Amino acid sequence: MTQIVKRNWIINGVQKECTMHGLARLVDILRTEADMTGVKEGCGEGECGACTVLVDGRPVLSCLQNAAAVPDGSDIMTVEGLEQTAIGRALQTAFTEGGAVQCGFCIPGMLMSAYALLAKNGNPAEADIRTALAGNLCRCTGYVKIIEAVQKAAQMLRGEDQ
Ligand code: FES
Ligand code: FES
C-alpha cells in the first residue's frame, strides 16, 4: 500500500508542509511541492553534486536523500535562500562578477557546497576549496574561476576585497 507522509520543514526560512510518497526523493519534493526549481538534477546517481542542498547546514545530495527521512523541523536551504544571507550574497556577487558561471547547471550545487565551507571556514586555502567542491562536477570549466570566486567571496566577507 502506498504510504503517504507529511513533513513540516523550514525551507529558506519559511515553514512549509510537504506531502510525499514514502519513497520520494528530496530533490523531487523540493522542486515540485516546495517550488524550489533552483535545485537541479544532473545525474540522479550521487555523482555530479548539482542537486546539493543544505539540511541543517550540512550538504546533502538531494537525489539520493529519501525525503520522508528528513525529520520534521529540519532547516533546508536551497540556492533560492542564498540571498537572505551575507555568505550567499557574497558568493552570488563573486561568481557573477568573476565569470565563474557558464551554462549554470552545476552552479546551484557549487554554491551550496561553497556556502557550507565558508560557514565553518572564513579563510579557506585553495586545497580546502577544492576538497569542499570535489563532489560538484562542472562540464564547462576547468574550475579555476569557480575556485577564485569562492576565494573572492571569502575575502569580501572578511572585508579584504578593496
Ligand atoms: S543529481 Fe544528485 S548528484 Fe547528480
Ligand atoms: S557551468 Fe556548466 S556545468 Fe558547470
Side-chain angles (χ1 to χ4, degrees):
M1 196 166 74
T2 306
Q3 185 197 6
I4 301 295
V5 297
K6 289 186 192 299
R7 290 286 176 266
N8 269 292
W9 297 322
I10 313 294
I11 302 177
N12 297 326
V14 177
Q15 188 166 348
K16 168 89 180 156
E17 183 180 86
C18 294
T19 304
M20 65 203 71
H21 186 287
L23 298 177
R25 305 177 309 165
L26 183 59
V27 64
D28 296 320
I29 300 307
L30 289 174
R31 288 179 56 85
T32 57
E33 283 275 315
D35 212 20
M36 297 299 167
T37 53
V39 184
K40 300 300 183 217
E41 179 174 5
C43 65
E45 297 179 344
E47 296 293 335
C48 75
C51 65
T52 305
V53 299
L54 302 186
V55 178
D56 294 327
R58 193 171 51 90
V60 165
L61 296 174
S62 60
C63 73
L64 296 185
Q65 176 67 51
N66 171 244
V70 178
D72 276 329
S74 294
D75 197 288
I76 300 176
M77 185 191 279
T78 72
V79 71
E80 286 91 343
L82 286 180
E83 224 164 59
Q84 301 166 13
T85 68
I87 294 175
R89 288 191 295 272
L91 283 167
Q92 286 176 330
T93 302
F95 270 68
T96 309
E97 292 182 355
V101 179
Q102 294 199 14
C103 80
F105 201 82
C106 68
I107 297 300
M110 289 278 182
L111 289 170
M112 301 321 291
S113 295
Y115 182 101
L117 170 67
L118 295 186
K120 62 178 189 209
N121 181 357
N123 192 5
E126 182 182 330
D128 299 325
I129 299 171
R130 286 191 182 275
T131 299
L133 300 183
N136 295 89
L137 304 185
C138 175
R139 284 295 172 98
C140 302
T141 78
Y143 299 92
V144 173
K145 289 189 172 178
I146 290 172
I147 288 161
E148 285 174 355
V150 178
Q151 286 171 324
K152 178 75 176 175
Q155 284 169 7
M156 290 165 68
L157 290 160
R158 296 195 304 269
E160 298 170 3
D161 59 316
Q162 303 310 315

